[in-house]
Amino acid sequence: MRRLGIHSFVWTDGKTQEGLEMALEKSAEHGYRMVELAYLFPGRYDIERLAARARALDLEIVVTMGLPPEADVSSEDRDVVAHGRALLSDVVKTVRDVGGIRLGGILYSKHGKYDRMPSRDGWMNSTEAIAATAETARTCGVEIVLEIVNRFESNLLNTTAQGLKFIADTDRDDVRLHLDTFHMNIEEADPAAAIRLAGDRLGYFHIGENYRGFLGTGTIDFTAYFRALADIGYDRDITFESFSGAIVDEALSVACGIWRDTWTDNDALAAHARTFIEEKWREAAMARQVLAAV
Amino acid sequence: MRRLGIHSFVWTDGKTQEGLEMALEKSAEHGYRMVELAYLFPGRYDIERLAARARALDLEIVVTMGLPPEADVSSEDRDVVAHGRALLSDVVKTVRDVGGIRLGGILYSKHGKYDRMPSRDGWMNSTEAIAATAETARTCGVEIVLEIVNRFESNLLNTTAQGLKFIADTDRDDVRLHLDTFHMNIEEADPAAAIRLAGDRLGYFHIGENYRGFLGTGTIDFTAYFRALADIGYDRDITFESFSGAIVDEALSVACGIWRDTWTDNDALAAHARTFIEEKWREAAMARQVLAAV
Amino acid sequence: MRRLGIHSFVWTDGKTQEGLEMALEKSAEHGYRMVELAYLFPGRYDIERLAARARALDLEIVVTMGLPPEADVSSEDRDVVAHGRALLSDVVKTVRDVGGIRLGGILYSKHGKYDRMPSRDGWMNSTEAIAATAETARTCGVEIVLEIVNRFESNLLNTTAQGLKFIADTDRDDVRLHLDTFHMNIEEADPAAAIRLAGDRLGYFHIGENYRGFLGTGTIDFTAYFRALADIGYDRDITFESFSGAIVDEALSVACGIWRDTWTDNDALAAHARTFIEEKWREAAMARQVLAAV
Amino acid sequence: MRRLGIHSFVWTDGKTQEGLEMALEKSAEHGYRMVELAYLFPGRYDIERLAARARALDLEIVVTMGLPPEADVSSEDRDVVAHGRALLSDVVKTVRDVGGIRLGGILYSKHGKYDRMPSRDGWMNSTEAIAATAETARTCGVEIVLEIVNRFESNLLNTTAQGLKFIADTDRDDVRLHLDTFHMNIEEADPAAAIRLAGDRLGYFHIGENYRGFLGTGTIDFTAYFRALADIGYDRDITFESFSGAIVDEALSVACGIWRDTWTDNDALAAHARTFIEEKWREAAMARQVLAAV
């Protein structure tokens, strides 16, 4: 693992500059070395100030988002796609401006429940948009990763295999997968095998419980996931993600379907998650050594 | 286990009388003794003829559904609630008319992704509607079970504990829980413990894989679920549910987020599922005997 | 969990006074509040000095052992049984003298691979010996717990159900079970269910990996065990046990079949085990809260 | 999977010709296409008659055994090693004579609990003996596979990694590993990873529950094992093994530590095991297809 990150929604609903700055402070205070910001739409925040705070705290920034319906690059509507491409281009530049290293999430489609089947034309519109975005990102020094999500949050890329096919269709070798245990638990036949299938196309990894709560209190077999990451020699970043009604506001709750308060004490949550992930990572590495010892 | 059932969507999109009759034949042919029909809205089908076919095949019928937005009994809008109560009453009578023994599913709210938080008034409207529906059902000889579903398909009842509280609030002892492995995998901290928590309030049980495909090819630890059912002495019905783009039509695919063909051969699927469930059931019973043997 | 302990074999082969004292220091230094000593046969050590060291460090002492063949109280040979009863009585007094709170392990039979089937007479000899030992222990303020072990280390009590029957046959309500994840992994049909079966008869619990190495690097589903402990409201002690050829000497390696060095750095092992157990304990308690939250 | 086999101890203690012939009949009757015979020491049985019966039933024969102490080829005593080499040579010829295709088990050491540490000289004696046995086997048309067993049944080869090293030291490319879920559950850090580590060196596979009873009633995560077999494209034989005090006699019970009757109805056991293994095999193959589908 390169750096261990934490999603800012653990700390703030992200609506204000103050909220984001507090999230940076809290993340660093808890020993995280990366913070994930969501929906960092241009113009809303003092980007330079955020960049300076992150640098001062030796925190790297990742930005993730999902497209709004009116900017869905997997649409068959030319104007919607154009809007989406412009939005992606703007966000990439904002990521650059904030000193961010990576843009991830549902960049290839709307974030939400679709009411139509995916289409071949939409797929092609989306791969072209991502290819163009990746080119912009390259010039900005930003990495593009595509989050594979469950069926209720996109109709286009629900599995690792689909994601690999999509990336192949972009014809870019600098676009990678962004996998997430919460989503894999719903969609993958075999999550550990999916990680091995992704191999060196895996660019970013999200750790979350099955019900998005406190790690280790749900059903996800994290040992299997971490051993698969060890199997492929994963050496990129890992970020902890958890949502509770206690922090996110109604709009965000609605977007993510967070109807319950699965936790209230985010300090305890973050401290535990760091220990949990670091220990699992270490145990997986040791398991490989034990396996091979003679 | 009392009777082993199968969801009609394995066989048909359920839009035509012929489709439903074929589903009955197929279910019986594969040795299932119960069939689950969905959205059996009054007036669409020749109910008497379906009832006669089921009787002839010694198949019991269960009907499940989720409420449409305009009939959401958890709404705060009095007219919508009234519409929902009328719909539920009509459906109960249709279940009676088709010779069905049980009405389940998302009877207490809209089936779909909400764009608002649940409310206390909505909860009370819903418990009252379910209490009234249960009274109608009692006179019709139909059992009411409430399906606990994931956050993307309702905002009201996502966990067993919520379901038990809801039932307590209906003040009825004839309303029971309808649990489903697909949904529990997303929402429960500990699905086996949730089954033990439900205990004799568990009235119906759905078996589905994490990604809704072929049993045993996903991540769900069915052994743990079946052992929990054995622990509580569960002696009611179990129904197999699996959806694939290969069968359901676009409208249904959209409602359930079925964007992929996870299988194409439904005969193979149904034959395997019966063996799978019967063997797991038997293994769970034997595990209890082995555990206690001295 | 009352106190978290660690087996002295993590630190020493236990052959010398110096070794045991170092084990006490190390255990306390790593934050453990209990230490388990093995085969504390009378006369070999300066018991008073050990007791004083433990008191000074606020460490409680548990002693565990298995009977040698010539003192097997499950024998059909009257002299062997008499020898065994005398040995148990002496050890109980040594436990008292060292300030120990509990005597556990394979007190009811030989520790080792049997070359004969268990017998009814041997069972009765053993239950009588344990009943007598428990009476002595009561007067000494020492608790007796019986370790259920795998088939290769005793032929008498390999499962929790057998242990409960055995305890019932002693007619004592102060004899309890001592369960161990390493052994349960080999013998129990369902270890979590076995813990629930033991319920308040469970008096002591050992945590070890399937191959006796570093926790979390093997196959044992500790989450399931800890949730079962939470289910029964377990509030007694838990002790970490791990053996490696790196520490135990040849005689001990032979007794326990330790042919490999599964670890070499016992400081790292002990530090990790404490974190591992404390976090699993906490996660299990939280999972119960999440499960029941409405 | 090439052929599905069953161990003859499911049917008989193997002491008489009649018992073995009955085991052949029963195995074939239950649809198994291979039978495993144990300790087929030369001279005890009418080998020609057994061979003819097997041919008539289209059953293939595998023989497995562990060395007795006086023939331990991992001994440092030259005479004992010579005795062991002669025994192995004789058994290979008997396997050939009975029409067997394979000799497996603990061919490289004593079968039993050791009371000494393994030694470098013993390892070399053993690799040389196995190399010589493999040469004899080659001329006899018999395959040699080495069973990796738990620490209580040999001190030499307890893990896959050790087995691979051992085979490399024999300098033979026709000696393969014989893995067994019962043993792997005790010794491997990660059994599925161990199967992937073995890869095409895996020559034979035993399926048994953690406590050696009815499949699916214990703790072993067979899904993980079968998916690993699918990962390596395993296309050799798989044999079901289960022991109960109900069938094996006292001598065998003692050798294997079978102190309990874990089942009594071997017809039910064998019928269930065949379904269990065939379904798991199929599910694992399908899981791979689902994983890779786009």
Side-chain angles (χ1 to χ4, degrees), chain D residues 158-256:
Chain D
N158 300 145
T159 68
T160 298
Q162 291 173 329
L164 290 170
K165 175 73 168 66
F166 185 96
I167 288 176
D169 286 359
T170 64
D171 221 16
R172 301 279 313 189
D173 60 9
D174 56 358
V175 175
R176 288 194 173 79
L177 290 178
H178 168 185
L179 297 179
D180 178 310
T181 60
F182 170 77
H183 298 296
M184 297 178 87
N185 180 57
I186 301 175
E187 298 295 346
E188 296 288 356
D190 186 333
I195 289 170
R196 292 193 296 267
L197 183 67
D200 62 8
R201 302 309 302 167
L202 181 58
Y204 191 44
F205 202 75
H206 266 182
I207 297 290
E209 253 305 349
N210 69 309
Y211 72 98
R212 288 202 174 285
F214 204 93
L215 295 181
T217 65
T219 65
I220 289 190
D221 178 8
F222 286 106
T223 297
Y225 287 81
F226 277 91
R227 289 186 183 179
L229 291 172
D231 280 346
I232 64 168
Y234 184 71
D235 59 1
R236 299 168 192 274
D237 305 317
I238 292 179
T239 286
F240 167 58
E241 189 176 57
S242 178
F243 302 145
S244 170
I247 290 290
V248 295
D249 74 345
E250 183 169 334
L252 287 166
S253 286
V254 163
C256 298

Side-chain angles (χ1 to χ4, degrees), chain A residues 231-262:
Chain A
D231 280 346
I232 64 169
Y234 184 72
D235 58 2
R236 298 169 191 274
D237 304 318
I238 292 179
T239 286
F240 167 59
E241 188 175 59
S242 179
F243 302 145
S244 171
I247 291 290
V248 295
D249 76 343
E250 183 168 335
L252 288 166
S253 287
V254 163
C256 299
I258 310 301
W259 318 119
R260 291 180 276 160
D261 292 1
T262 54

Side-chain angles (χ1 to χ4, degrees), chain D residues 53-166:
Chain D
R53 284 309 297 142
R55 272 196 310 275
L57 294 163
D58 185 25
L59 272 179
E60 284 184 350
I61 290 177
V62 172
V63 176
T64 53
M65 63 181 293
L67 296 177
E70 66 274 14
D72 180 354
V73 295
S74 78
S75 172
E76 298 182 8
D77 179 322
R78 185 176 305 213
D79 292 343
V80 170
V81 172
H83 183 181
R85 293 174 69 142
L87 175 62
L88 287 169
S89 177
D90 285 351
V91 172
V92 164
K93 288 167 192 160
T94 306
V95 175
R96 174 198 61 198
D97 295 344
V98 81
I101 62 166
R102 182 181 299 124
L103 175 63
I106 313 165
L107 308 177
Y108 52 82
S109 88
K110 182 182 83 168
H111 179 197
K113 176 68 162 47
Y114 273 85
D115 54 9
R116 60 172 175 79
M117 299 296 286
S119 73
R120 180 68 201 153
D121 281 354
W123 175 282
M124 291 181 66
N125 289 343
S126 182
T127 55
E128 287 166 14
I130 293 300
T133 303
E135 182 56 25
T136 305
R138 190 184 61 77
T139 66
C140 292
V142 169
E143 182 189 39
I144 297 296
V145 292
L146 305 178
E147 186 169 16
I148 307 304
V149 297
N150 73 72
R151 62 192 64 191
F152 305 106
E153 305 194 35
S154 175
N155 68 359
L156 206 69
L157 300 183
N158 300 145
T159 68
T160 298
Q162 291 173 329
L164 290 170
K165 175 73 168 66
F166 185 96

Side-chain angles (χ1 to χ4, degrees), chain C residues 113 115-117 151-153 155 158-159 185-189 191 210-211 217-219 254 257 259-260, chain D residues 113 115-117 151-153 155 158-159 185-189 191 210-211 217-219 250 254 257 259-260:
Chain C
K113 176 69 161 50
D115 54 8
R116 61 169 176 80
M117 300 296 288
R151 62 192 65 191
F152 304 107
E153 305 193 36
N155 68 359
N158 300 145
T159 68
N185 180 56
I186 301 175
E187 298 295 347
E188 296 288 356
N210 70 309
Y211 71 98
T217 66
T219 65
V254 163
W259 319 118
R260 291 180 276 159
Chain D
K113 176 68 162 47
D115 54 9
R116 60 172 175 79
M117 299 296 286
R151 62 192 64 191
F152 305 106
E153 305 194 35
N155 68 359
N158 300 145
T159 68
N185 180 57
I186 301 175
E187 298 295 346
E188 296 288 356
N210 69 309
Y211 72 98
T217 65
T219 65
E250 183 169 334
V254 163
W259 319 117
R260 291 180 277 159

Side-chain angles (χ1 to χ4, degrees), chain A residues 11-229:
Chain A
W11 309 116
T12 174
D13 63 13
K15 291 187 152 176
T16 65
Q17 179 78 15
E18 293 67 36
L20 291 184
E21 293 186 17
M22 176 269 286
L24 266 58
E25 305 284 348
K26 280 291 203 177
S27 300
E29 185 184 299
H30 278 278
Y32 289 91
R33 301 186 56 226
M34 169 172 292
V35 67
E36 182 169 322
L37 306 178
Y39 295 94
L40 201 67
F41 294 121
R44 277 204 202 154
Y45 308 96
D46 181 340
I47 293 296
E48 263 183 58
R49 195 178 144 105
L50 276 179
R53 284 307 299 137
R55 271 196 311 276
L57 294 163
D58 184 26
L59 271 180
E60 284 183 351
I61 290 177
V62 172
V63 176
T64 53
M65 64 180 292
L67 297 176
E70 66 275 14
D72 180 354
V73 294
S74 77
S75 171
E76 297 181 8
D77 180 320
R78 186 176 306 214
D79 293 342
V80 170
V81 173
H83 182 182
R85 292 175 70 143
L87 175 62
L88 287 169
S89 176
D90 286 352
V91 172
V92 164
K93 288 166 191 160
T94 306
V95 175
R96 174 198 61 199
D97 295 344
V98 82
I101 61 166
R102 182 181 297 124
L103 175 64
I106 313 165
L107 309 176
Y108 52 82
S109 89
K110 181 183 85 168
H111 179 197
K113 177 69 162 51
Y114 273 86
D115 54 9
R116 60 168 175 80
M117 299 296 288
S119 73
R120 181 68 201 154
D121 281 353
W123 175 282
M124 290 180 67
N125 290 342
S126 182
T127 54
E128 288 166 13
I130 293 299
T133 303
E135 183 55 26
T136 306
R138 189 183 62 76
T139 65
C140 293
V142 169
E143 181 188 41
I144 297 297
V145 293
L146 306 178
E147 186 169 16
I148 307 304
V149 297
N150 73 73
R151 62 192 65 190
F152 304 106
E153 304 194 37
S154 174
N155 68 359
L156 206 67
L157 301 183
N158 300 146
T159 68
T160 298
Q162 290 174 330
L164 290 171
K165 175 73 169 65
F166 185 95
I167 287 176
D169 286 359
T170 64
D171 222 15
R172 301 280 309 190
D173 59 10
D174 56 358
V175 175
R176 288 195 173 77
L177 290 179
H178 169 186
L179 298 179
D180 178 309
T181 60
F182 171 77
H183 299 297
M184 297 179 88
N185 179 57
I186 300 175
E187 297 296 346
E188 297 288 356
D190 185 333
I195 289 170
R196 291 193 297 267
L197 183 68
D200 61 9
R201 302 309 302 167
L202 181 58
Y204 191 44
F205 202 75
H206 266 182
I207 296 290
E209 252 307 349
N210 70 309
Y211 71 100
R212 288 201 174 286
F214 203 94
L215 296 182
T217 65
T219 65
I220 288 191
D221 178 9
F222 286 106
T223 297
Y225 287 81
F226 277 91
R227 289 187 184 179
L229 291 173

Side-chain angles (χ1 to χ4, degrees), chain B residues 149-250:
Chain B
V149 297
N150 73 73
R151 61 191 66 190
F152 305 107
E153 305 194 35
S154 174
N155 68 357
L156 205 68
L157 300 183
N158 300 146
T159 67
T160 298
Q162 290 173 330
L164 290 171
K165 175 73 169 67
F166 185 95
I167 288 176
D169 286 359
T170 64
D171 221 14
R172 301 280 310 188
D173 59 9
D174 56 358
V175 175
R176 288 195 173 77
L177 291 178
H178 169 185
L179 297 179
D180 177 310
T181 60
F182 170 78
H183 299 296
M184 296 178 88
N185 180 57
I186 300 174
E187 298 295 347
E188 296 289 354
D190 185 333
I195 289 171
R196 291 193 296 267
L197 183 67
D200 62 9
R201 301 309 301 167
L202 180 58
Y204 191 44
F205 202 75
H206 266 181
I207 296 289
E209 253 305 349
N210 70 308
Y211 71 99
R212 287 202 175 285
F214 203 95
L215 297 182
T217 66
T219 65
I220 289 190
D221 178 7
F222 286 106
T223 297
Y225 287 81
F226 277 91
R227 289 186 184 179
L229 291 173
D231 280 346
I232 65 169
Y234 184 71
D235 58 2
R236 298 169 192 273
D237 304 316
I238 292 180
T239 286
F240 167 59
E241 189 175 58
S242 178
F243 302 146
S244 170
I247 290 290
V248 294
D249 75 345
E250 183 169 334

